[in-house]
Every structure is written in structure tokens, then in C-alpha cells.
Amino acid sequence: MLRQELNDVLPTGGPLWRPRLVRDPRAGTAHLYFTRNHAISDGHSTGAVVRALVDALFGPAGAPSPHDVRSVAPNGDELTYCPPGRPTAPLAARPEPVPSADHRPWRERGADFVPLALTRQESLALKAWCRSEGVTVNQFFAAALAESFAVATGRTEVALFTAVSLRKRYTESATLPDVGCFIKALDVPLRLDRTPLWEGMEATAREHMYEAVARRLPVGRVGEAADVAQAVLFLSANAYATGTTVYVDGGGTIA
């Protein structure tokens, strides 16, 4: 049922949301699925609408919901955007795409999911960590899935396509309702190699990640910063090497 709901797309121009109630007699319970188009809902509004619905169904009678889910969201073009500061580190080049199902026509694709059960304590701890690091929970899981994909395919770089919330990027942010979609899609490179980028990762998990990547590369190891430096020195010293892309990836592009 979840897979059917996941792949029953709500195209823009048609109905933008769909509730579905499914009874499970054997378990003595019912499941409510609330599917919506991204045009009217982002990560923040999803939680707010679900919370308001739960309050309406199971909360005290007549108690107002703390979430503003009845006001119409303004057009983002009418808001005053406050850009963040420029990054101090240089931006990395985008890696080559990996052939996958998302290059096929939509009718031939199929989405799936992997259930992840977190306790209340684990959920609160994860939210607290994300808040302290300035990332959303969605961004955390997107990065984790991208790393898993890189390890499974033996690549040291993948393109991470994710979304960031813009709700705090407007002068009018304090007055925005809890519904609407205020996001920016980003396509950024993610690199897995032995650089300071991974020093914050738990040591055992980091070594297991390196070992898994190394097993899938023809050279049998992950890249070092020195490998890239040697390639740069070679190109800078060889006047006949021009107009050529040199891949320093341990053979990942041919593996």
C-alpha cells in the first residue's frame, strides 16, 4: 500500500493533495496517508499540517491549533529575500552523473522506500544534533543516502540533490503561515576520500566506509589528497597535456 501511494503521482495542474484511510483489521488499527504536491507543502508545513490534524482529531474539543494552516501562503516572488554569506571555501566541480532510473520517462520509473524506525529519544537526539549543526533532518538523511550510494557503487564522488528551507531567508519570515512551499533545490558534489572532510565521523564507521569503497575500486584503496596533488603537478609541468580531463578516482569511472 505504501509503494502504491508513493508511486501514485499528484501532477501539478491537478489535485494537489490526497488523504487515504486504510483499515488493518488484523492489527485492529487504521492508517491515514496524507499525500501532497510540493507546490503546497515543504518539510515544515508537512509537520505542521499533520500536527494540526492530530490536534483536531484527538485534542481537547474547541482548543485552537498553534499552527497557522488556514492562511494562504504568499507568492515567494513578493517576499524580500535575504541571501546568506558567501562561502569561504572554493566550490568543487560537479561529478559525472551515474546512470539510474531517474533518466527514464516518468511512467517507467518506480520509487521505493526503506523503513527506518527511530525511538522517541533517538528522534529528539537527531533533531538536536541537526539543529546544532545548522542542517535539517531531511538534509542529514539525504547526505547519509548519498554516502551509502557512493559506497555501494564504488564511487568517491556523487552528486547530492537535495532541498534547503528558505523560511528563515525572508524579511517577512516571522509572518509566514505554516503551509506553503519555501525551498531551494540544490545540486552539490559529495566526496568520499581521506581528507579532513571526514575527520568528524566516528573512527570505526569511517574506516569501514573507506574499506567498502576500496573493495570496489580497481586500485584497491581510496584516494588521498596527495593523489590529486600529484595529478595537478603533472598537468602543470606537462605543456603537451591540454584540453584533457584527468579523472583521479582510482578507476571508479570504469569499475
Side-chain angles (χ1 to χ4, degrees):
M1 184 64 208
L2 277 175
R3 290 183 176 87
Q4 178 184 342
E5 187 67 21
L6 181 64
N7 287 281
D8 190 359
V9 180
L10 288 172
T12 301
L16 297 179
W17 61 283
R18 177 180 63 239
R20 181 175 293 177
L21 182 65
V22 180
R23 300 185 183 277
D24 186 352
R26 289 184 298 179
T29 187
H31 302 276
L32 176 63
Y33 299 102
F34 179 52
T35 305
R36 66 264 172 264
N37 187 294
H38 241 321
I40 61 172
S41 177
D42 55 18
H44 173 89
S45 59
T46 298
V49 171
V50 171
R51 185 70 258 175
L53 178 61
V54 171
D55 290 342
L57 292 175
F58 307 107
S65 173
H67 301 286
D68 181 9
V69 296
R70 296 183 179 272
S71 300
V72 177
N75 188 327
D77 294 336
E78 301 172 357
L79 301 175
T80 306
Y81 179 69
C82 302
R86 293 184 177 274
T88 56
L91 298 178
R94 184 183 186 279
E96 291 296 320
V98 178
S100 61
D102 64 359
H103 296 284
R104 301 197 307 240
W106 180 261
R107 63 181 179 276
E108 298 178 9
R109 305 182 201 177
D112 207 341
F113 62 93
V114 177
L116 178 63
L118 297 178
T119 65
R120 175 177 173 80
Q121 291 74 19
E122 291 170 337
S123 296
L124 292 175
L126 175 59
K127 290 180 179 179
W129 184 89
C130 290
R131 190 179 302 112
S132 67
E133 296 296 324
V135 299
T136 67
V137 175
N138 282 346
Q139 291 165 8
F140 171 85
F141 281 116
L145 289 173
E147 288 186 26
S148 299
F149 179 78
V151 171
T153 57
R155 293 173 64 91
T156 55
E157 286 191 3
V158 295
L160 171 61
F161 189 79
T162 186
V164 296
S165 176
L166 299 182
R167 284 185 170 268
K168 295 184 179 181
R169 291 296 182 191
Y170 299 106
T171 304
E172 304 86 352
S173 292
T175 61
L176 292 179
D178 288 316
V179 294
C181 185
F182 301 94
I183 62 173
K184 172 65 176 177
L186 297 178
D187 188 2
V188 295
L190 183 69
R191 176 179 297 166
L192 286 79
D193 53 21
R194 290 182 182 273
T195 67
L197 176 65
W198 303 104
E199 289 182 352
M201 189 175 182
E202 194 275 326
T204 301
R206 184 175 64 241
E207 290 304 317
H208 286 170
M209 178 186 71
Y210 288 154
E211 292 171 4
V213 172
R215 286 195 298 269
R216 290 168 174 80
L217 292 176
V219 298
R221 65 177 180 85
V222 296
E224 305 277 353
D227 297 319
V228 178
Q230 290 173 6
V232 172
L233 290 174
F234 164 75
L235 292 174
S236 62
N238 192 324
Y240 202 68
T242 182
T244 302
T245 301
V246 177
Y247 294 97
V248 187
D249 60 0
T253 54
I254 60 174

